[in-house]
Amino acid sequence: MKPILVVNAGSSSVKFQLFDAERQDALRRLIRGQLDGIGTQPRLRARAADQTVLIDQSYPGEQVSDVPAALAVAGAWLHTTQSFEPVAVGHRIVHGGPKYDRPVLIDAAVLADVASYVPLAPLHQPNNLAAIRSIGARLPGLPQVGCFDTSFHRRHSAIADHYAVPEELYTEGVRRYGFHGLSYEYIASRLPEVAPQLAAGRVVVAHLGSGASLCALANRRSIECTMGFTALDGLPMGTRPGQLDPGVVLYLLEQKGKSAAAVQEFLYAECGLKGLSGISNDVRDLESSSDPRAKFALDYFAYRVGLETGALAAALGGLDGFVFTAGIGENSAGMRARISEKLSWLGGVLDPAANASGASVISRGDSRLTIQVVPTDEESMIARHTADLIARRG
């Protein structure tokens, strides 16, 4: 057995999975787990591949106060109870900047590069770095592989990647990167099997979760994405505003007297569904609320998804399919229905019964646009990349 550990570190949780990479063409998931509530109400949960509960344990907040502490707790449990010694660790890294267009073995130089992109992904990059450093300190000889959320979009055309700013800024790295690339890459890899009629066609994939974006695929390659230089752009999200006139930022700085740090905190933590509703950043909370602000936030979200889908359809020169994925896309039939209404002008006709039952194809048989739900699996994509890179390195 050749176990590969996959780590996806966030600000309040560390998700981890263990895969057997003995056969590169058929990775086998062994364990899926996460330690969430870091610093507040830490809870470690894990299941085996057959869904057997392996652990469900809570800890005092001070015992698991940060990402390194969470990794230590989860790692100790894996080591002492599961007897797995990983041959490599694969990490999700949100921002790869202009340099990294593919997975890479992490060394000191890569770590320094990744650290330089922290200002471009302040919610995510510090936690990605904390996980890499923590594992490196405890297991210095263990290979670690960085898999970047920006890599899948790095083959966009120059026109799609540019902002209308002087070229020297583009050269410095001020460009449209796009994110959620590991999710989109996984969906693209699944299309030949789950939607063969769409695999070579023009598809918009909607990764809708706490972070949200759309990606335009042509023949399973990314040609455009709603996110740009940072993960603030594009669709409204749980706590991020999405598309915003830069003049609003100037207004906050000049007229409201906010510092740059305060504006950053505001844009990443106080906007989006949370800001619109004044209630919650969670779609489930908003769907169960009778407050008209909750309905407004949900309607706004669906409106913006429809609007951006039209732009991506223009980039593709037409549209053959629309795919929902990630937490909201996979689990909220109500939001899928709201968004599908916005696709009617593109030929999309929802089948309400199929949507309510959680079917894979949720468009009606007479719909010109195929509307489908495909669960994402970023961790298996990371495991694939890690196994491939380690195999090439011998």
Side-chain angles (χ1 to χ4, degrees):
M1 185 179 293
K2 294 182 178 179
I4 285 177
L5 176 64
V6 171
V7 175
N8 187 346
S11 58
S12 61
S13 69
V14 172
K15 298 177 183 178
F16 62 91
Q17 295 194 30
L18 202 67
F19 292 82
D20 178 12
E22 190 70 43
R23 288 182 54 195
Q24 285 178 253
D25 62 334
L27 291 173
R28 184 166 60 93
R29 184 180 281 106
L30 304 171
I31 293 173
R32 182 199 301 265
Q34 69 179 57
L35 202 163
D36 52 23
I38 294 173
T40 55
Q41 296 177 314
R43 182 182 178 191
L44 174 61
R45 289 171 287 176
R47 292 178 180 266
D50 63 2
Q51 299 304 307
T52 300
V53 175
L54 301 175
I55 187 172
D56 188 342
Q57 182 174 335
S58 298
Y59 301 84
E62 62 272 14
Q63 184 177 341
V64 189
S65 59
D66 54 21
V67 168
L71 285 166
V73 168
W77 171 76
L78 278 170
H79 180 73
T80 58
T81 69
Q82 302 304 307
S83 302
F84 290 119
E85 296 293 341
V87 297
V89 182
H91 294 269
R92 177 193 177 211
I93 302 177
V94 167
H95 214 304
K99 187 171 183 178
Y100 297 106
D101 63 354
R102 65 199 66 196
V104 63
L105 194 64
I106 297 170
D107 58 19
V110 172
L111 203 56
D113 285 338
V114 172
S116 72
Y117 306 138
V118 166
L120 306 186
L123 277 188
H124 307 90
Q125 207 87 340
N127 300 302
N128 303 154
L129 284 164
I132 294 166
R133 288 170 175 153
S134 178
I135 292 173
R138 293 173 184 275
L139 300 166
L142 185 63
Q144 298 193 77
V145 174
C147 301
F148 301 94
D149 253 341
T150 48
S151 293
F152 186 62
H153 307 296
R154 286 299 312 284
R155 291 168 182 81
H156 286 178
S157 69
I159 287 176
D161 270 357
H162 270 71
Y163 289 108
V165 296
E167 185 64 18
E168 57 264 29
L169 284 174
Y170 178 85
T171 303
E172 289 174 17
V174 179
R175 60 186 70 175
R176 301 186 68 251
Y177 292 99
F179 296 89
H180 295 131
L182 290 163
S183 176
Y184 293 129
E185 186 178 11
Y186 177 79
I187 298 299
S189 75
R190 293 281 291 144
L191 286 180
E193 180 180 348
V194 301
Q197 76 281 10
L198 297 179
R202 303 161 298 180
V203 180
V204 167
V205 183
H207 178 104
L208 307 179
S210 179
S213 66
L214 304 177
C215 177
L217 298 180
N219 194 21
R220 297 192 294 142
R221 295 175 66 89
S222 171
I223 69 159
E224 184 59 274
C225 181
T226 54
M227 280 183 168
F229 184 53
T230 71
L232 284 170
D233 200 7
L235 301 179
M237 294 165 249
T239 60
R240 287 170 268 170
Q243 186 272 328
L244 190 71
D245 184 334
V248 175
V249 177
L250 297 177
Y251 176 80
L252 294 173
L253 291 168
E254 296 174 358
Q255 303 302 316
K256 304 295 285 186
K258 289 182 178 289
S259 66
V263 171
Q264 177 174 286
E265 174 68 16
F266 174 75
L267 294 177
Y268 276 99
E270 299 298 330
C271 296
L273 296 177
K274 178 182 177 182
L276 281 172
S277 69
I279 298 170
S280 174
N281 65 323
D282 193 314
V283 164
R284 291 168 296 187
D285 294 337
L286 300 180
E287 288 182 326
S288 63
S289 174
S290 60
D291 192 311
R293 296 175 300 168
K295 180 180 183 302
F296 179 81
L298 294 171
D299 287 344
Y300 181 86
F301 184 80
Y303 169 75
R304 295 301 306 189
V305 173
L307 201 66
E308 296 286 354
T309 299
L312 294 190
L316 288 164
L319 198 59
D320 304 307
F322 187 95
V323 174
F324 288 100
T325 195
I328 298 169
E330 294 171 29
N331 298 301
S332 175
M335 186 54 74
R336 291 196 300 263
R338 272 184 161 93
I339 292 169
S340 294
E341 285 182 10
K342 309 299 181 184
L343 306 178
S344 60
W345 70 279
L346 290 163
V349 183
L350 185 71
D351 182 332
N355 182 44
S357 68
S360 175
V361 177
I362 59 173
S363 50
R364 266 188 0 207
D366 60 345
S367 176
R368 296 198 312 274
L369 181 72
T370 299
I371 307 174
Q372 196 148 348
V373 181
V374 181
T376 193
D377 192 344
E378 294 161 298
E379 285 77 15
S380 73
M381 204 72 243
I382 296 169
R384 285 187 219 174
H385 285 312
T386 301
D388 289 346
L389 185 55
I390 295 301
R392 291 200 304 272
R393 295 283 181 134

